[in-house]
Amino acid sequence: LEFRRVLFRSVILVGAGQLGPALLRYGGFARKGFEVVAAFDADVSRKRPRDIRIPILPMETLPDFIRERGVKLAILTVPGKAAQEVANRLIECGIQAILNFAPAILHVPERIAVNNVDLAIQLENLSYFVK
């Protein structure tokens, strides 16, 4: 028998309000080798689905968590008006790549990778194929 050791890349999620909990329950990340190790939110007392097993931590703990764990990837699901400020903070803490679900264009240094996910644009693209 051959055993392969699966290496997971640690990811954090910032913004556990609306879209965030759905992404925290998504099983596809692990199948591709990513582990969401924590989520961060400005309101940790907000009521959330009980089946979420990933810890949701206060934003104040973000810098220490990122540095101590060496996390380099983040998923951003904050409101558009907060996106740039949160992205700046993530970058200051050592994040090198952001999957951006926030409805905002992020202005980041060239060394930072950003993938923007706009669900409305994806639907628009699909509608081209509908007759």
Side-chain angles (χ1 to χ4, degrees), residues 69-129:
R69 300 278 186 108
V71 178
K72 303 296 180 197
L73 297 162
I75 301 169
L76 190 61
T77 60
V78 299
K81 63 184 179 188
Q84 187 63 56
E85 180 183 337
V86 174
N88 293 346
R89 193 165 178 201
L90 289 169
I91 294 164
E92 288 170 10
C93 294
I95 292 296
Q96 297 175 4
I98 299 171
L99 181 58
N100 180 29
F101 282 90
I105 300 299
L106 301 177
H107 302 281
V108 300
E110 281 188 31
R111 63 183 166 77
I112 305 300
V114 175
N115 279 3
N116 295 298
V117 179
D118 186 325
L119 300 176
I121 288 176
Q122 296 304 317
L123 275 176
E124 184 179 44
N125 290 343
L126 281 175
S127 72
Y128 174 79
F129 298 100

Side-chain angles (χ1 to χ4, degrees), residues 45-93:
S45 65
R46 178 190 329 238
K47 195 168 182 120
R48 293 183 177 85
R50 290 187 176 160
D51 62 339
I52 294 176
R53 302 286 178 238
I54 295 162
I56 299 174
L57 306 171
M59 289 297 289
E60 303 82 56
T61 64
L62 181 74
D64 289 338
F65 188 95
I66 291 172
R67 288 186 186 106
E68 289 170 7
R69 300 278 186 108
V71 178
K72 303 296 180 197
L73 297 162
I75 301 169
L76 190 61
T77 60
V78 299
K81 63 184 179 188
Q84 187 63 56
E85 180 183 337
V86 174
N88 293 346
R89 193 165 178 201
L90 289 169
I91 294 164
E92 288 170 10
C93 294

